[in-house]
Amino acid sequence: MTYAAYEASTSSGAPVECYEFIQGLSKWYFTTGTQEFTSLARTFIPSAVKRDRIKQGEDALKETLTLTFPRGDEFAAQFLGFAPDLVTTLNVYRLHLTDPDKELAQYWKGRVVGAKASDNTVQVECESVFTSIKRPGLRAKFELSCRHTLYTRGCNVNQEAYLLTGSLLSVSGGVTLTVQGAGAFPGGYFTGGMVVAPDFSSRFIVAHSSDQITISRPFNALVGGAELRLYPGCDHLRTTCNTKFNNLDNFGGFPWIPIKNPFALSSIV
């Protein structure tokens, strides 16, 4: 019998829900049932996870799903504080334990966007996969500063041409890194750029002074002597584009637009 046959049956069905989380190469499988089972080489283990109502409306941005885990759940705890570097996707399935084939029917798909602790539980917030088609597609704006993202299409600066590779000398407070060679560049040179660790996880650089850089949040695992890759940032000003990157031909700003609306005399920047 198929899943549909058990679903329509008045006596043979034994429905449970299954949750599949995928984070890079790591995967977790949970079920609301009391029995562990295997389907398509995936072993689902019983969990005390609960969810709120799945919503289907006109606004995809509001169709979120909240999963509630016990406070001590190791999987859910990783989303508290600093989120993992990789995106975690979620597939929700329905299945009937009485089905010998353990056929899964997909019920919902999305990704984890955050979590919060409340009393003895951790609430994991997820957004629907359909939110991806609701994101704005046109980013270009008529503005003084450059509208392009550094190193991407439109900017066209060769990222590897500005690479600095240096050894990690020390870490202070988790976010202040002393990197060999960074002091050879003027203060602020790497501000707005990024640092890439040996495991290819990256962090935004919020400040640079001498051989020290301050990153937006700590790396999960970083030891002294690790080889870091540093890329300088850009403040999107015309002078920076010209003197720092010699890329004025691709500057995406409009520095000579009027500061005030010539008709209403109100500010337009």
Side-chain angles (χ1 to χ4, degrees), residues 137-258:
L138 184 62
R139 297 184 301 104
K141 296 181 179 180
F142 191 67
E143 55 186 298
L144 294 172
S145 58
C146 181
R147 66 188 185 276
H148 300 312
T149 301
L150 183 61
Y151 306 126
T152 62
R153 182 180 178 181
C155 172
N156 299 332
V157 169
N158 183 358
Q159 183 174 349
E160 297 305 316
Y162 292 87
L163 166 67
L164 168 68
T165 302
S167 298
L168 176 65
L169 303 179
S170 65
V171 180
S172 176
V175 295
T176 301
L177 313 180
T178 302
V179 182
Q180 184 181 30
F185 297 85
Y189 181 81
F190 291 102
T191 300
M194 64 178 179
V195 54
V196 182
D199 63 356
F200 300 106
S201 58
S202 61
R203 296 291 185 270
F204 181 73
I205 300 175
V206 298
H208 165 227
S209 177
S210 185
D211 58 356
Q212 292 186 338
I213 62 169
T214 303
I215 56 179
S216 56
R217 61 191 181 101
F219 283 101
N220 294 330
L222 199 61
V223 297
E227 289 293 314
L228 301 180
R229 299 164 64 88
L230 270 64
Y231 298 94
C234 180
D235 57 9
H236 297 270
L237 297 180
R238 183 173 182 272
T239 53
T240 303
C241 185
N242 185 34
T243 59
K244 188 173 183 177
F245 298 101
N246 191 27
N247 192 43
L248 197 57
D249 287 345
N250 293 316
F251 180 70
F254 302 87
W256 290 288
I257 61 175

Side-chain angles (χ1 to χ4, degrees), residues 24-39:
L25 298 178
S26 299
K27 298 180 181 180
W28 296 265
Y29 305 102
F30 303 111
T31 176
T32 57
T34 59
Q35 306 174 30
E36 179 179 302
F37 64 89
T38 300
S39 175

Side-chain angles (χ1 to χ4, degrees), residues 16-22 27-33 37 42-54 65-69 75 89-95 104-105 107-109 124 126:
V16 295
E17 281 196 344
C18 305
Y19 301 91
E20 177 187 47
F21 293 92
I22 302 175
K27 298 180 181 180
W28 296 265
Y29 305 102
F30 303 111
T31 176
T32 57
F37 64 89
R42 294 173 290 187
T43 301
F44 292 86
I45 61 174
S47 171
V49 58
K50 299 184 297 183
R51 67 165 175 84
D52 62 357
R53 182 175 62 89
I54 292 180
L65 181 68
T66 301
L67 303 179
T68 303
F69 289 83
F75 166 77
T89 59
L90 165 64
N91 294 306
V92 180
Y93 301 100
R94 283 176 59 88
L95 169 143
L104 295 172
Y107 196 55
W108 195 84
K109 184 178 180 65
V124 178
C126 306

